[in-house]
Amino acid sequence: MVDLRSDTVTAPTPGMRAAMAAAEVGDDVYGEDPTVAALEAEVAALFGHEAALFAPTGSMANQIALQLLVPPAQELLCDADAHVVTYEVGAAAGYGGISTRTWPASGGAPDPDQIAAMIRPDGFWAVPTRAVAVEQTHNLAGGQVIAVETLRRLRGVVDEAGVAMHCDGARIWHAHLADGVPLAEYGGLFDMLSVCMSKGLGAPVGSLVIGSAERIERARWLRKRMGGGMRQVGVLAAAASYALRHQLTRLVDDHARAARLAAELAPFGVVAAPPRTNLVPLDLRRSGWDAPSLAAAARERGVLISVLGPRIGRLVTHLHIDDDAVDRAVAVLVALLRSRPAA
């Protein structure tokens, strides 16, 4: 199978497995796992922050950060397609008692002026805004990269309003390589970030929440309350460290293969714009296909794609998609798009 559903489907490489097997471990709930501690220090330094905390999932890392920035019954602003309000099953409200308000989905390009007008101050019997969250890269916007100039303007907005800013940086590694923005520059724009080691980088599991030493100390308590306290988890931290050292810069290959997929499918009117990173959204409204039918037909021919809506699909390149896999996927998808779906 050529599996283009997500960059989360990868398996550890032989070198990563060897690093996992050799990892020195300890009880991380007691703060005694040296491999975890080394990873946390390394990632915090990459983004120019004081500390980081290893969490089992990106959703947990995001929700820890939001609880640290937004007290219960107060407000988070984000866009309507943001992962923190679409794919985290109401965790902000359920765990943190956080009220959320969204601006219209904007293709991964937030408007700082619009966001400034939405921020509610204390008083007047309104729910006060405490933080703004953005997503870099933006999943439902097809892996689009928020320009660093936009982020700088937004930083000015939140500073003037006295509120915080969080980055759901699950694929920030891709933005870093696509735009050449140093990770520390991104880090300096946010009060807190989450970064994922299993999307693109190829680790089997794990994300980190990044911030000040004071906030990360509180984050450790929140992680435990949410069921994320882990014991000899250095075997997973070793995989993440290996990914950073050996599988970060190769993400540019995923970007190139995504661009090739998009170029081959563009003549069929299903690709709105060339991808910036490793995600290729498919808009099937003019193709005659619905997304579930196309996915089922492609599966029968050995290609797996994601279904994000009745007429919306997605292709994602990753560690296990080489040039031959792109050739096979193109052959299958082009043949299907040239045909008509079975009645």
Side-chain angles (χ1 to χ4, degrees):
M1 284 285 185
V2 177
D3 195 342
L4 295 167
R5 291 173 298 169
S6 178
D7 47 6
T8 62
V9 301
T10 56
T13 62
M16 184 180 288
R17 290 180 184 273
M20 295 169 74
E24 185 181 359
V25 300
D27 191 323
D28 187 51
V29 170
Y30 290 124
E32 296 174 357
D33 192 304
T35 307
V36 173
L39 172 68
E40 292 169 341
E42 178 181 13
V43 172
L46 282 175
F47 287 90
H49 277 264
E50 291 180 330
L53 182 72
F54 190 52
T57 70
S59 291
M60 184 179 287
N62 274 332
Q63 295 304 322
I64 288 171
L66 296 183
Q67 289 177 62
L68 288 166
L69 298 177
V70 185
Q74 300 187 39
E75 183 178 76
L76 171 75
L77 299 181
C78 61
D79 83 79
D81 281 344
H83 194 281
V84 295
V85 292
T86 56
Y87 289 136
E88 298 186 11
V89 291
Y95 282 111
I98 295 169
S99 178
T100 56
R101 192 159 47 98
T102 62
W103 62 85
S106 52
D111 179 350
D113 293 333
Q114 179 185 39
I115 295 167
M118 292 178 66
I119 293 174
R120 289 173 174 159
D122 284 313
F124 309 105
W125 305 104
V127 178
T129 304
R130 295 303 183 205
V132 172
V134 297
E135 193 171 322
Q136 182 77 309
T137 66
H138 198 294
N139 178 22
L140 289 183
Q144 291 302 307
V145 181
I146 304 173
V148 70
E149 293 81 7
T150 301
L151 293 174
R152 291 182 188 129
R153 285 182 59 208
L154 188 53
R155 181 74 246 180
V157 165
V158 300
D159 283 345
E160 183 175 354
V163 303
M165 189 156 76
H166 169 63
C167 179
D168 174 358
R171 293 186 176 92
I172 199 168
W173 319 106
H174 294 273
H176 159 61
L177 291 170
D179 276 5
V181 176
L183 295 174
E185 183 167 357
Y186 279 137
L189 292 168
F190 296 100
D191 298 279
M192 301 202 73
L193 306 91
S194 68
V195 298
C196 184
M197 312 308 295
S198 64
K199 291 187 175 75
L201 291 184
V205 69
S207 289
L208 291 100
V209 57
I210 304 166
S212 68
E214 180 180 2
R215 284 187 171 126
I216 295 305
E217 186 60 34
R218 174 69 176 170
R220 187 173 297 275
W221 186 89
L222 289 170
R223 184 186 66 176
K224 181 68 169 141
R225 187 174 74 176
M226 296 170 71
M230 299 174 287
R231 301 299 180 176
Q232 288 73 28
V233 76
V235 290
L236 297 178
S241 292
Y242 182 93
L244 277 177
R245 288 177 172 82
H246 299 279
Q247 294 173 187
L248 173 57
T249 56
R250 60 149 302 281
L251 294 179
V252 296
D253 298 333
D254 296 344
H255 298 178
R257 291 181 176 122
R260 185 172 155 229
L261 277 169
E264 296 281 2
L265 301 179
F268 300 94
V270 298
V271 178
R276 292 293 322 282
T277 54
N278 67 322
L279 276 61
V280 183
L282 300 178
D283 183 344
L284 301 171
R285 287 174 293 181
R286 294 188 291 168
S287 71
W289 286 90
D290 62 72
S293 297
L294 182 65
R299 177 184 283 271
E300 290 176 357
R301 293 158 178 80
V303 175
L304 303 180
I305 69 175
S306 274
V307 175
L308 300 184
R311 296 275 181 174
I312 303 297
R314 188 186 69 173
L315 313 176
V316 186
T317 53
H318 52 75
L319 183 66
H320 298 333
I321 299 298
D322 57 15
D323 291 333
D324 288 341
V326 171
D327 289 340
R328 286 152 52 202
V330 166
V332 166
L333 293 171
V334 165
L336 289 171
L337 290 168
R338 279 180 177 154
S339 70
R340 303 294 296 179

